[in-house]
Amino acid sequence: MLNFSLGSAFPGKSVEDAMGLASGIQEVPVLGEIGLDHVQICPQNYKGGVMGLARLQALQTAYPNTQFRFHANVRILEKGCQYDLGTADQFPEYTEKLVESLDYLGQPYSLHAAENGRPLASQIKVAKQLSAQAGVPVAIEGLYPGHRNNTLATWADWERLLEMEASYALDFSHMNIILSQSGGPVPVKLMEDLLASPNCLEIHFSGNNGERDSHQVCQDDEWWLDFLPLIRDETVCFYEGRTR
């Protein structure tokens, strides 16, 4: 079952408003049926104030059949911060609040790879430390080539990650940018190995033009559609296309 990533699908909406909108949608273009079994709370859901424990508890009461999980730098402090696997050690107050929330939710958490060139092995160590503190898996989400010093942003980076036995989240939109920037071809064996691994905890779906992560609706000629039958039942899939 495909699930909603609230921040990408409904940017600028509060989690509560986004859940209300998502409840009225049963399918999305190309990918079909979508539901609320699992839902990602994202940094784009900044309206409504800090996402504290009381608010999480109210959401869980309102939607008892939904398993909520955090993605990236959700607004859990009054002041936002650029929290990723390259900066996590700079924000101990954020980490403290994050661990508290993750422990309550009891669901995996996905966090972006570093934008500051921090070595991949170091990032994985941070992810595993955070996982140990919170008691839930922490998945590193790969990025793509860009103006920042992005890591986990090439096919070679993904090949190295596979050897490191770390939890990860695949973003097909990000991978489309990697493919576009590399000039192809599609690394079929790498994609098969990434999808087959039990370390693949999440997959994120949206479309773009190969240049920027614009979270567009998916088209019927997306190259990664051929790989959908390989997705493991245990991997949770999230839709990040802009939904109106």
Side-chain angles (χ1 to χ4, degrees):
M1 169 72 77
L2 189 62
N3 304 274
F4 273 110
S5 180
L6 296 181
S8 300
F10 307 99
K13 299 293 185 182
S14 69
V15 175
E16 293 81 3
D17 287 348
M19 284 296 292
L21 293 169
S23 297
I25 299 173
Q26 280 73 51
E27 66 176 47
V28 294
V30 178
L31 297 174
E33 187 178 2
I34 191 167
L36 297 174
D37 291 350
H38 300 267
V39 163
Q40 276 190 333
I41 298 173
C42 307
Q44 299 97 320
N45 302 121
Y46 53 84
K47 288 190 176 178
V50 169
M51 183 54 64
L53 278 183
R55 200 169 162 204
L56 284 175
Q57 290 165 349
L59 279 167
Q60 197 65 80
T61 298
Y63 299 95
N65 296 321
T66 296
Q67 294 183 319
F68 292 94
R69 64 173 72 182
F70 276 3
H71 171 59
N73 54 325
V74 176
R75 182 62 65 87
I76 53 177
L77 299 177
E78 291 293 343
K79 183 178 180 180
C81 66
Q82 191 58 44
Y83 192 86
D84 62 31
L85 284 169
T87 63
D89 52 2
Q90 299 174 27
F91 303 106
E93 184 181 2
Y94 188 96
T95 297
E96 181 180 355
K97 291 290 185 182
L98 177 63
V99 166
E100 182 180 63
S101 297
L102 296 180
D103 177 66
Y104 169 74
L105 293 170
Q107 294 296 312
Y109 168 58
S110 53
L111 185 58
H112 292 133
E115 295 179 350
N116 62 3
R118 185 168 188 159
L120 192 54
S122 177
Q123 294 182 62
I124 291 171
K125 181 179 179 180
V126 171
K128 290 184 176 181
Q129 288 173 338
L130 184 57
S131 176
Q133 288 176 272
V136 300
V138 174
I140 179 172
E141 180 187 350
L143 296 175
Y144 46 87
H147 65 278
R148 298 184 179 93
N149 193 13
N150 286 351
T151 56
L152 198 51
T154 67
W155 299 131
D157 291 337
W158 278 107
E159 288 170 352
R160 284 197 295 273
L161 183 73
L162 271 176
E163 299 172 354
M164 294 180 177
E165 289 299 317
S167 298
Y168 55 85
L170 299 180
D171 188 310
F172 282 170
S173 177
H174 294 181
M175 288 182 151
N176 188 52
I177 299 175
I178 295 176
L179 182 66
S180 176
Q181 298 297 318
S182 70
V186 174
V188 174
K189 180 63 165 58
L190 174 61
M191 291 297 299
E192 291 174 345
D193 291 344
L194 286 168
L195 292 170
S197 172
N199 290 323
C200 181
L201 303 186
E202 296 178 358
I203 299 177
H204 303 169
F205 297 93
S206 66
N208 63 45
N209 63 2
E211 296 181 4
R212 56 185 294 269
D213 189 26
S214 50
H215 292 144
Q216 299 303 307
V217 297
C218 299
Q219 304 299 315
D220 58 11
D221 61 350
E222 307 285 358
W223 60 268
W224 41 258
L225 288 172
D226 293 339
F227 294 95
L228 297 192
L230 303 180
I231 297 174
R232 300 172 69 250
D233 291 341
E234 296 82 1
T235 303
V236 181
C237 297
F238 291 103
Y239 182 67
E240 295 190 330
R242 296 285 165 87
T243 305
R244 292 177 175 84

